[in-house]
Amino acid sequence: MHIVVIGGGGVGCHVAREFSRFSDVVLIDHDPAVLESAENELDVMLLQGDGTHRSVLRKAEVARATMVVAATRSGAVNLSAAALSIREGARRAVARIDDASFYEIPAPLGVERNVLGVDAICASRLVGTELLRQVCALDATTAATFLGGTFLVAGVKVEQDAPYTGQSVDRLATEGAVVGGVVRRSRVLSTTDAQQLEHGDIVIIGGSPVVTSRRVRMLRQHQAGSAVIVGGGEVGEHLARDLAGLERRVKIIDRDRARCEELARSVSGATVIHGDGTQLAFLQDEQVGSADIVLAATHSDEVNLMACLLGRQLGVNHTFALVQQPSYVPVYDHLGVSGSTSGHEVLSAAMRQLLPDRSLVSSQPLGSVPAQIVELRLPARLSRAMRVSDIALPPDTRVLGSWMPQSGRFTPGRRTALHGGEHLLLICNDSTLRQLDKAVQKIAPARGALSRIRRGLLGQDGDEDSQGGRR
Amino acid sequence: MNYLVVASVSAQILVMLAAALMAPLGLATFDEDMAAMRGYGISWIAVVACASLLRYLGRNAPRELHRKDALGVVALTWIALGVFGGLPFLIEGSINDIPSALFESVSGFTTTGATVVGSVDNLSRATNLWRCLMHWLGGMGIVVLFVAVFPKLGVGGKLLFQTEAPGPMNEGLRPQIKQTALALWWIYASLTIAAIVVLWALGMPVFDAVIHAMSTLGTGGYSSRGASIGAYQDPRIDWVVSAFMLIASLNFGLFYSAIRGNWRDLWRNGELRFFLSINAVVIGTIALLILPRHADIVVALRHAAFQTLAVTTTTGFMTEDFDTYPELARFLLFMCMFMGGCAGSTSGGIKASRIYILLVAIWRELDSLVSPNKVSLVRVNGQTVAPRVLERVAMFVFAYMVLLTVGALSLVLCGMDLVSSFSGALACLSSVGPGLALVGPSQNFGFIPGAGKMVLCMCMIAGRLEIFALFALFRPESWRR
């Protein structure tokens, strides 16, 4: 596999390092000093030049690249470099565009497909969702996001006196929530088999991050409390919107007056406070100590760490931080911060999921039983019109639903018609994962020998994913 | 330096040495040569035992390899190679004292080709194979081979590669260092096979063809014949060996781009053109100087080309004793010993690109004296040489001179004359092999006392590892954990 990364900053280097574990990587940057430091840290080929110049892209052989990642600070540079790469023949190009207002897709979705033939990736949304997942994980046995960050799946243990105990499982599946199954006595049961919720069950619930979080809290009888967000940047704004639907009271603190006014206009349901989140007196004044959670999401690691530590000092039980430098994550854990999310890691994981060759997009073990939640990508073309029930799925596989990456529309259940390139969300046993993968690959149309040879010669084998911009 | 990491990586490299020792062991068994079987068998057991011990010690080593560890691995591995490579000579009885055996083996692995054996014709076939196999492994580098063959080491592999591979500016051929190392070894092995086939087709016995091909491509210089290539008395073999010596002293990265279709890179390369021009001038001059000794200009040219290439590529074969040439020819060859081949090749010496960079830098300095405000850059192969690289090149050349002085001084203290001392030390440092006068092409290094041999061993390893890697070991910081 050949991957070209444009921009040797924090994100670019992190992505290059992660990808170099399984692929050839060429890293392009125009600054020799950046390349010199990368030389000592990365096992990749370095190329000095401007990533928006076609001559440089050709030199990096983007024509045979499986993916081009444009990860400089500037969204405009990234978009043009990625679009040029597609025109030069790259199979897929991803552009990092941090400005959330650029996107024309519904909120939690972090990747917009086919903007000028390029996938635009929004760090703030992905990071916000990841922080929300960590907050949700406080009450859950397991919590993982799927389908481009739009879908949160969580397992919740049912206590003796929880609501819905003794009632039908299906009653949980309202307001857009989906019940994937029930883990009872080390077996994953379907909702019909489980019938009624019992004490000790683990219910697997999915839905948009806010919906899932709300269901989880309801089952755990977790009362809505208050949350404080330090840093009113794009991540903070995203978090404030989501948490407003979960908590009784949300405060968002920012140092910049103008930004605060902007936030007050755009975010409803949250109190916007102007001040410095690293000043103890200010935090005491704002009664931050009475909050249930503190989330620090500024651009500065020092501020985030300090805000979390001060929050703990004031008596907040759970603090969460956005981390700029991925290597700092263990330090946060060591200092007692409940959860930390590195933007670089979230971005590089999301980019990895966009690699066109893989049918297995991601998987998450359930923990208490040898089963996994699995996201699979269907081939770009299907052999015939079919439904989920037409795929030869291994026994004990539970289907949560299917998802179109282009529109971000999720359809629960197994009855809907499938399209090429669609993603499936399933629960399967550890032992049947490979079988499942094969069953999904089998539904691609059988290729004639001639077309296979032609594709082999042209080096386009496996070019399955729809790439509108190339036509 | 993390000793555990060094132990575990060195153990794996020693496993490769053990694998290499199987070749002479197999040949000795085939020849039913009991002494050689004992020599190589015991050495093989010793290497395997040492590798197992290191493996056991380094069983809990962290996976990551840092710069200090890479320096430690490469320098210590090269010292270990010298020790274990010389063991069979001692046990077999072909060489009787420890410094001589060490010298012979270090000279083998560093592709120097300076020998202490008076009559190589009397050596067993297994020993002759081993001597040339050492050249071949040392030529492209056993550590580079390790990076190519063993599972992905990531950045650690890159550090190991950079420490062993010669040249002031090493650019990767492929995105991953493992693939770069693999590509280099593929090219190297293919060229060796080509050389074997051609030499065999020209009537050389298969065994001779194999060992001379390995010796040529590694730019070593060991031969199974006392008269070296001259023993075959075949002009075609002379030309073919000359050609392969030249090929082995060029940048292998250029061959890689040529294979990928960029033939023009070969000619556009400034270092290559510089190297070829110097060779052409020296060959022409020497051919004229030795014309009176030969029947016609073609014969003179053949001998001049062979002797010159043997020295500039730092191989050290011979068809004639160049020590008997006129003074000017001797002087030119002595000067060529400094330069060596191109960066990224298997040859030693200061390297043509460093000399070229310094000459261009001197020219720029003169320029800036005349017109101080003029902005002029040092450019090689169309790329500007960064000031840091320039600095490193200058320091390298100076360190080279210092080391040469130390080496020559130690030989003078051993009672040798000035010409022999300087040419002997330089021949070892640049991994040429034969020097002038007492250590000339028809002589050997056997008479030098043990202490002198040890200093020369150090010179050879330092020259092969481009000086700094070896001496970094002597700094206490390198040993701190």
Side-chain angles (χ1 to χ4, degrees):
Chain A
M1 212 190 295
H2 183 72
I3 289 168
V4 178
V5 179
I6 299 165
V11 176
C13 276
H14 190 78
V15 171
R17 184 179 300 116
E18 293 296 314
F19 282 11
S20 71
R21 292 183 211 282
F22 57 87
S23 161
D24 288 358
V25 176
V26 178
L27 179 66
I28 304 177
D29 200 289
H30 61 82
D31 185 356
V34 168
L35 293 179
E36 198 171 325
S37 73
E39 168 77 33
N40 293 325
E41 289 167 19
L42 305 174
D43 184 16
V44 303
M45 188 178 253
L46 303 167
L47 189 62
Q48 196 197 337
D50 191 320
T52 56
H53 291 183
R54 280 157 294 176
S55 58
V56 174
L57 292 175
R58 273 195 289 269
K59 218 168 168 187
E61 302 185 351
V62 291
R64 58 182 198 88
T66 313
M67 189 151 107
V68 174
V69 175
T72 70
R73 278 177 187 283
S74 155
V77 166
N78 293 342
L79 188 60
S80 45
L84 280 173
S85 310
I86 289 289
R87 234 194 60 181
E88 291 292 324
R91 280 179 60 189
R92 167 156 285 178
V94 183
R96 164 190 169 198
I97 297 173
D98 290 344
D99 184 356
S101 53
F102 169 86
Y103 294 87
E104 298 194 343
I105 40 173
L109 191 55
V111 181
E112 183 162 356
R113 310 296 282 264
N114 202 5
V115 187
L116 285 175
V118 169
D119 296 337
I121 192 159
C122 178
S124 60
R125 283 186 181 179
L126 292 170
V127 169
T129 307
E130 172 60 18
L131 281 171
L132 205 62
R133 181 195 73 77
Q134 293 190 357
V135 173
C136 177
L138 289 175
D139 294 313
T141 55
T142 175
T145 48
F146 294 93
L147 314 180
T150 57
F151 205 82
L152 178 61
V153 181
V156 204
K157 192 157 192 181
V158 179
E159 296 295 341
Q160 186 82 58
D161 49 354
Y164 297 102
T165 311
Q167 298 188 22
S168 162
V169 180
D170 287 329
R171 288 195 58 187
L172 283 170
T174 50
E175 297 177 35
V178 179
V179 179
V182 176
V183 180
R184 185 178 293 164
R185 286 183 280 280
S186 306
R187 281 196 57 211
V188 184
L189 303 176
S190 69
T191 47
T192 40
D193 292 341
Q195 292 179 348
Q196 290 170 355
L197 272 189
E198 289 177 14
H199 164 58
D201 284 352
I202 293 176
V203 193
I204 297 158
I205 295 179
S208 76
V210 176
V211 167
T212 307
S213 299
R214 214 181 280 155
R215 281 277 156 221
V216 170
R217 286 182 169 208
M218 189 194 71
L219 278 167
R220 299 291 298 175
Q221 295 172 294
H222 178 135
Q223 296 299 319
S226 68
V228 174
I229 301 163
V230 178
E234 271 158 358
V235 178
E237 186 180 343
H238 180 82
L239 275 172
R241 282 214 188 89
D242 283 351
L243 286 173
L246 278 180
E247 304 283 5
R248 197 152 43 82
R249 207 167 48 242
V250 178
K251 284 181 188 167
I252 179 162
I253 299 173
D254 198 272
R255 224 189 288 201
D256 181 15
R257 177 99 216 168
R259 176 66 188 158
C260 284
E261 284 168 9
E262 207 177 304
L263 283 172
R265 261 197 303 278
S266 62
V267 184
S268 57
T271 316
V272 182
I273 295 166
H274 173 229
D276 186 346
T278 56
Q279 296 293 325
L280 188 61
F282 168 76
L283 294 177
Q284 277 168 333
D285 229 29
E286 291 299 330
Q287 293 171 318
V288 170
S290 64
D292 299 299
I293 49 176
V294 165
L295 299 113
T298 71
H299 289 296
S300 152
D301 276 332
E302 290 80 1
V303 172
N304 291 346
L305 181 60
M306 213 54 229
C308 286
L309 294 180
L310 289 176
R312 279 194 71 81
Q313 175 76 21
L314 291 172
V316 179
N317 280 333
H318 303 292
T319 52
F320 298 86
L322 169 65
V323 183
Q324 304 293 341
Q325 275 279 342
S327 53
Y328 290 175
V329 169
V331 180
Y332 280 76
D333 295 346
H334 182 75
L335 290 174
V337 177
S338 322
S340 48
T341 299
S342 147
H344 299 180
E345 269 169 16
V346 170
L347 269 181
S348 100
M351 286 171 183
R352 204 171 158 167
Q353 292 185 359
L354 289 172
L355 280 175
D357 286 326
R358 300 156 36 127
S359 66
L360 178 66
V361 179
S362 73
S363 65
Q364 172 74 26
L366 272 179
S368 52
V369 277
Q372 312 200 7
I373 310 166
V374 180
E375 180 180 350
L376 291 171
R377 179 177 13 227
L378 299 182
R381 274 177 294 277
L382 307 180
S383 53
R384 60 192 165 88
M386 52 168 59
R387 295 169 191 284
V388 182
S389 43
D390 295 336
I391 306 175
L393 295 174
D396 283 347
T397 305
R398 319 262 167 251
V399 182
L400 273 81
S402 57
W403 179 72
M404 277 305 288
Q406 275 79 7
S407 62
R409 190 171 48 82
F410 178 78
T411 321
R414 52 198 301 165
R415 296 252 166 258
T416 48
L418 287 178
H419 303 91
E422 204 160 352
H423 289 219
L424 283 184
L425 197 61
L426 314 137
I427 299 173
C428 75
N429 289 333
D430 286 356
S431 53
T432 55
L433 183 57
R434 290 191 60 161
Q435 206 182 332
L436 180 65
D437 201 12
K438 269 190 200 144
V440 168
Q441 280 167 9
K442 228 180 254 172
I443 63 174
R447 286 182 192 157
L450 202 65
S451 82
R452 219 174 312 166
I453 291 168
R454 189 174 58 87
R455 277 167 173 272
L457 284 177
L458 291 175
Q460 295 176 330
D461 197 48
D463 189 0
E464 307 259 88
D465 236 308
S466 54
Q467 267 297 353
R470 292 184 63 183
R471 285 192 283 272
Chain B
M1 176 179 333
N2 187 327
Y3 304 136
L4 297 181
V5 176
V6 174
S8 85
V9 176
S10 307
Q12 297 176 57
I13 298 176
L14 284 182
V15 168
M16 295 172 55
L17 179 68
L21 269 168
M22 307 272 270
L25 182 59
L27 186 68
T29 317
F30 179 76
D31 287 347
E32 294 176 0
D33 181 342
M34 281 317 286
M37 268 168 73
R38 199 175 60 235
Y40 289 95
I42 294 175
S43 306
W44 186 82
I45 292 168
V47 173
V48 169
C50 183
S52 321
L53 178 68
L54 285 174
R55 172 124 215 167
Y56 175 75
L57 291 177
R59 65 195 183 282
N60 294 327
R63 283 193 59 82
E64 254 166 60
L65 188 84
H66 297 285
R67 188 170 290 276
K68 281 181 188 170
D69 309 332
L71 278 173
V73 166
V74 174
L76 293 175
T77 302
W78 275 83
I79 293 170
L81 286 180
V83 172
F84 286 116
L87 211 51
F89 301 136
L90 276 178
I91 301 171
E92 189 197 13
S94 46
I95 297 172
N96 294 320
D97 63 313
I98 293 173
S100 299
L102 192 66
F103 183 91
E104 189 78 6
S105 124
V106 168
S107 163
F109 278 113
T110 58
T111 74
T112 307
T115 184
V116 293
V117 180
S119 48
V120 289
D121 303 85
N122 297 338
L123 292 175
S124 65
R125 293 213 309 163
T127 297
N128 268 322
L129 175 67
W130 178 234
R131 290 166 82 228
C132 294
L133 191 60
M134 288 195 290
H135 276 336
W136 195 67
L137 288 172
M140 190 50 80
I142 198 164
V143 177
V144 173
L145 181 62
F146 167 74
V147 173
V149 172
F150 275 78
K152 254 185 84 176
L153 298 155
V155 187
K158 199 169 180 174
L159 294 172
L160 284 174
F161 181 90
Q162 286 169 345
T163 314
E164 199 189 51
M169 295 187 287
N170 289 314
E171 57 244 25
L173 311 175
R174 307 264 309 122
Q176 287 179 0
I177 204 68
K178 181 184 163 72
Q179 297 167 342
T180 302
L182 205 57
L184 288 175
W185 265 94
W186 265 117
I187 296 170
Y188 186 50
S190 319
L191 285 172
T192 311
I193 290 168
I196 292 172
V197 170
V198 174
L199 289 176
W200 174 71
L202 290 177
M204 217 187 242
V206 174
F207 177 73
D208 292 25
V210 169
I211 67 167
H212 283 106
M214 291 197 296
S215 188
T216 308
L217 266 301
T219 68
Y222 280 155
S223 167
S224 54
R225 304 296 187 96
S228 190
I229 302 292
Y232 296 96
Q233 293 295 335
D234 186 339
R236 293 172 309 168
I237 289 181
D238 290 1
W239 282 118
V240 164
V241 173
S242 300
F244 275 104
M245 285 194 293
L246 183 64
I247 287 172
S249 70
L250 304 182
N251 189 340
F252 278 58
L254 291 177
F255 298 150
Y256 181 79
S257 38
I259 291 168
R260 299 193 77 196
N262 305 327
W263 282 98
R264 263 187 271 161
D265 281 9
L266 270 178
W267 187 239
R268 267 199 234 130
N269 189 278
E271 180 189 20
L272 183 95
R273 278 197 276 186
F274 174 72
F275 180 67
L276 291 183
S277 326
I278 288 206
N279 271 311
V281 170
V282 174
I283 290 171
T285 316
I286 292 182
L288 289 177
L289 287 169
I290 63 170
L291 191 55
R293 302 157 56 121
H294 294 287
D296 59 68
I297 185 73
V298 178
V299 180
L301 206 58
R302 168 160 62 88
H303 285 296
F306 192 95
Q307 261 55 246
T308 307
L309 285 171
V311 170
T312 53
T313 66
T314 74
T315 309
F317 279 144
M318 61 159 183
T319 56
E320 273 190 339
D321 186 354
F322 60 72
D323 203 29
T324 61
Y325 282 2
E327 283 301 308
L328 179 58
R330 288 177 75 208
F331 171 80
L332 285 175
L333 290 175
F334 183 66
M335 285 294 125
C336 285
M337 285 184 192
F338 278 99
M339 183 178 71
C342 296
S345 69
T346 63
S347 60
I350 291 175
K351 303 277 157 14
S353 59
R354 288 205 179 88
I355 304 269
Y356 182 66
I357 288 173
L358 283 184
L359 287 177
V360 178
I362 290 171
W363 182 252
R364 186 192 65 162
E365 199 58 34
L366 290 176
D367 225 23
S368 70
L369 274 179
V370 181
S371 41
N373 296 327
K374 183 177 166 187
V375 177
S376 50
L377 300 167
V378 179
R379 290 169 75 89
V380 176
N381 301 339
Q383 284 183 338
T384 312
V385 179
R388 178 83 189 103
V389 174
L390 202 60
E391 223 171 81
R392 257 184 242 161
V393 168
M395 278 191 296
F396 175 84
V397 173
F398 183 70
Y400 210 81
M401 297 304 163
V402 171
L403 207 54
L404 173 63
T405 318
V406 172
L409 173 70
S410 66
L411 293 188
V412 167
L413 290 178
C414 291
M416 283 166 65
D417 67 292
L418 206 57
V419 173
S420 309
S421 303
F422 261 100
S423 66
L426 181 57
C428 286
L429 194 56
S430 291
S431 82
V432 177
L436 298 170
L438 288 177
V439 290
S442 55
Q443 315 295 326
N444 65 63
F445 286 68
F447 69 94
I448 297 174
K453 279 182 187 141
M454 299 307 277
V455 172
L456 289 180
C457 282
M458 188 198 69
C459 284
M460 288 190 279
I461 296 181
R464 173 63 181 80
L465 298 183
E466 310 240 288
I467 299 182
F468 297 118
L470 181 65
F471 290 103
L473 264 197
F474 296 140
R475 288 185 60 80
E477 284 90 52
S478 310
W479 292 91
R480 250 173 239 150
R481 307 192 56 158

